[in-house]
Amino acid sequence: MTEIDIQRINAMRSKGYGYKSIAKALKLPENTVKSYCRRHKGDSQVPVQDLSNENLHFCKCCNLPVEQVKGRKMKLFCSDTCRREWWNKHQELINRKAYYEGVCNHCGNSFVAYGNSNRKFCSHSCYIKHRFGDEANG
C-alpha cells in the first residue's frame, strides 16, 4: 500500500465510506483496508455509513468517489486536474472528427488540416512565399 493509498483511505473514511467502498475504489483487498483502518482508529472519528451501492462512481484518474448531481450528465472525473491528466495520458482515445483535406495554393501539394476547413496553405512558409514572393526570407 502506497502513501497515496493511505491518504485516499483517510479521506474516504473521513467522508463516511465503508471498507468495501474504499477497497473497490482503490482496487485494494478489503482486509488490507480493514486492517489499516483498525490500526489507525484515531485518524477519523466520523461515523461510517454504507455507501457501497451501484450508483457510486469513481474518478477515472485517481479512483476517488465522484459526487454526481441528479438530473445532470454523469461526471467521470473528480476535478479538472484529473480530467486533463487522464486525457493527456490517453491521447489515442480522443475521437478527432474535424480532419480536412486540401491542396496548397502555393506549392500544389495536398495536406490534411485539423479543425480548419478553410485552410489554403500547407505551411506558414508556403503562405509567406505566396504572399510576399519566393524571394522572401522568413
Side-chain angles (χ1 to χ4, degrees), residues 55-138:
N55 294 330
L56 189 61
H57 298 281
F58 300 98
C59 178
K60 291 175 86 171
C61 183
C62 66
N63 283 327
L64 286 178
V66 178
E67 293 181 24
Q68 302 295 329
V69 179
K70 189 173 182 177
R72 301 207 56 196
K73 187 171 109 176
M74 185 178 81
K75 291 183 182 179
L76 300 176
F77 304 98
C78 63
S79 65
D80 285 338
T81 305
C82 280
R83 179 182 51 80
R84 282 190 296 268
E85 181 181 330
W86 193 87
W87 280 110
N88 283 335
K89 290 180 183 175
H90 298 89
Q91 295 256 338
E92 71 279 359
L93 299 176
I94 297 173
N95 188 8
R96 300 179 194 266
K97 296 179 181 177
Y99 284 108
Y100 301 100
E101 292 185 21
V103 177
C104 181
N105 282 356
H106 180 72
C107 67
N109 291 335
S110 61
F111 63 91
V112 177
Y114 180 73
N116 185 358
S117 62
N118 298 321
R119 189 167 162 181
K120 297 175 183 171
F121 301 98
C122 63
S123 65
H124 183 70
S125 61
C126 274
Y127 163 72
I128 296 297
K129 289 175 186 175
H130 185 79
R131 175 81 167 84
F132 298 106
D134 285 335
E135 297 84 31
N137 295 328

